[in-house]
Amino acid sequence: MKTLQTTFFFLVFVPLVNSAPPIQQETLPFYEYDTDVTMGSLIQHEYEMQSKDIRQDGTNVSLDTSLRLQGDDSERNIPPTKDTNLPTCLLCVCLSGSVYCEEIDIEAVPPLPKETAYLYARFNKIKRIAVSDFADITTLRRIDFSGNRIEEIEDGAFSKLLLLEELSLAENRLLKLPVLPPKLTTLNANQNRIKSRGIKANAFKKLTNLAYLYLGHNALESVPLNLPESLRILHLQYNNITTITDDTFCKSNNTRYIRTSMDEIRMEGNPILLAKHVNAFSCLRTLPVGTYY
């Protein structure tokens, strides 16, 4: 009976048992898009596989070193770029009528929004100011070009800026002053290369609102002529001024004339001895700062 049961077992159940599958081959992991797997992990897996092959060949290379070398090579292959052809309000900062284009290495005045009232373009590489730069911008009240490389300003570049009150051209390479707008109150042209012949005789005569004039650290040989009565602060320090006349600040034909608005004149650093020209200061409330003896 037991023999019959054993035979029955082998005949019925053994055919139903599948043979064991062969040893599975090693498969590479499958990465899908939109997962949390980063490119770094993919590169690391690839280098782990390569490092296994390298070690099998008897060569010992650090995985971290290999990854670092690849990263360095990829960085070196990407040249540094600075796109200065972007729209002005992407390249600069535009805020409530003010445009800030400071220290971005631009070489020309960018196109400005028509409502621009204040332009700050300091410390760039601008070399030239053209008439077209402000042809359609009549709302400007303040312009600051300090710290550029400006050598030339076209005549008439500021002529249509009838609302312009403050203009800074300090720390540039100017040899002469441009024609200035009529409502200007402040002009800063310190630290340029301006000589006396670079300032027209009537450059300031019609600027009846001009109160602050800064021409220090230039190459002037004389004090500019026809300074307006509105002038309060005049800086002429560290030029090459050698002489002044009785009409430079005062009126030689009017001994009662007093220049009431003038508060400060700086002339130190010039070769002139001011004590030799005492009559030139008779209309001033305070003497200029400078060398007297």
Side-chain angles (χ1 to χ4, degrees):
M1 185 65 180
K2 291 182 179 180
T3 304
L4 181 60
Q5 290 176 349
T6 302
T7 304
F8 180 80
F9 177 82
F10 278 104
L11 290 175
V12 175
F13 292 100
V14 170
L16 298 177
V17 178
N18 290 331
S19 59
I23 298 175
Q24 294 182 354
Q25 295 180 353
E26 183 180 1
T27 59
L28 294 176
F30 179 74
Y31 300 101
E32 295 181 352
Y33 292 106
D34 299 325
T35 66
D36 292 333
V37 179
T38 63
M39 183 61 69
S41 61
L42 295 176
I43 295 174
Q44 183 174 359
H45 174 78
E46 182 181 352
Y47 268 86
E48 286 174 351
M49 299 299 295
Q50 292 180 2
S51 62
K52 290 179 181 178
D53 297 337
I54 291 172
R55 284 195 293 271
Q56 289 175 359
D57 293 338
T59 305
N60 185 14
V61 177
S62 169
L63 175 62
D64 292 339
T65 302
S66 301
L67 289 171
R68 190 161 55 248
L69 289 174
Q70 183 183 16
D72 292 343
D73 290 338
S74 63
E75 290 179 1
R76 283 196 296 268
N77 291 334
I78 300 176
T81 59
K82 195 162 191 177
D83 190 355
T84 57
N85 294 318
L86 292 170
T88 300
C89 290
L90 291 179
L91 182 65
C92 307
V93 176
C94 300
L95 182 63
S96 301
S98 298
V99 179
Y100 300 87
C101 300
E102 300 180 328
E103 299 183 88
I104 55 174
D105 293 341
I106 53 175
E107 297 182 359
V109 179
L112 299 174
K114 288 190 176 182
E115 70 276 8
T116 302
Y118 305 97
L119 171 61
Y120 303 92
R122 300 182 299 177
F123 310 115
N124 286 291
K125 299 179 180 178
I126 300 172
K127 297 181 179 179
R128 185 171 180 269
I129 307 297
V131 173
S132 58
D133 291 335
F134 304 113
D136 299 323
I137 313 297
T138 59
T139 55
L140 279 163
R141 294 180 179 274
R142 180 186 300 159
I143 297 176
D144 193 342
F145 283 126
S146 302
N148 279 274
R149 304 175 182 178
I150 301 172
E151 298 178 350
E152 179 187 1
I153 300 177
E154 287 186 0
D155 288 337
F158 303 123
S159 61
K160 293 184 178 181
L161 305 181
L162 301 181
L163 300 179
L164 189 66
E165 297 177 350
E166 300 178 30
L167 176 61
S168 180
L169 302 169
E171 299 179 54
N172 280 282
R173 303 173 182 178
L174 291 172
L175 297 175
K176 63 179 183 178
L177 287 181
V179 176
L180 301 170
K183 291 189 176 181
L184 203 64
T185 63
T186 302
L187 174 63
N188 187 349
N190 283 337
Q191 297 184 7
N192 277 275
R193 305 171 182 176
I194 302 170
K195 295 186 176 183
S196 292
R197 65 173 178 266
I199 301 178
K200 296 180 179 179
N202 295 323
F204 305 113
K205 186 175 183 178
K206 296 182 179 181
L207 303 184
T208 56
N209 295 324
L210 186 64
Y212 306 95
L213 179 57
Y214 304 102
L215 293 170
H217 298 270
N218 277 281
L220 299 175
E221 299 90 1
S222 60
V223 178
L225 301 175
N226 297 311
L227 296 174
E229 295 291 329
S230 57
L231 201 60
R232 296 180 55 191
I233 305 294
L234 175 63
H235 285 188
L236 298 167
Q237 71 274 19
Y238 296 99
N239 278 276
N240 193 34
I241 298 174
T242 56
T243 185
I244 54 178
T245 69
D246 293 350
D247 291 312
T248 300
F249 301 113
C250 304
K251 297 179 180 179
S252 58
N253 59 353
N254 185 357
T255 56
R256 295 184 178 182
Y257 169 73
I258 302 295
R259 187 179 278 272
T260 56
S261 298
M262 187 71 77
D263 293 327
E264 178 182 282
I265 300 175
R266 289 185 56 182
M267 296 188 66
E268 73 272 20
N270 285 279
I272 188 173
L273 291 177
L274 299 180
K276 294 183 177 181
H277 306 276
V278 289
N279 290 333
F281 313 130
S282 61
C283 66
L284 301 178
R285 296 188 299 175
T286 59
L287 291 175
V289 177
T291 304
Y292 283 84
Y293 301 101

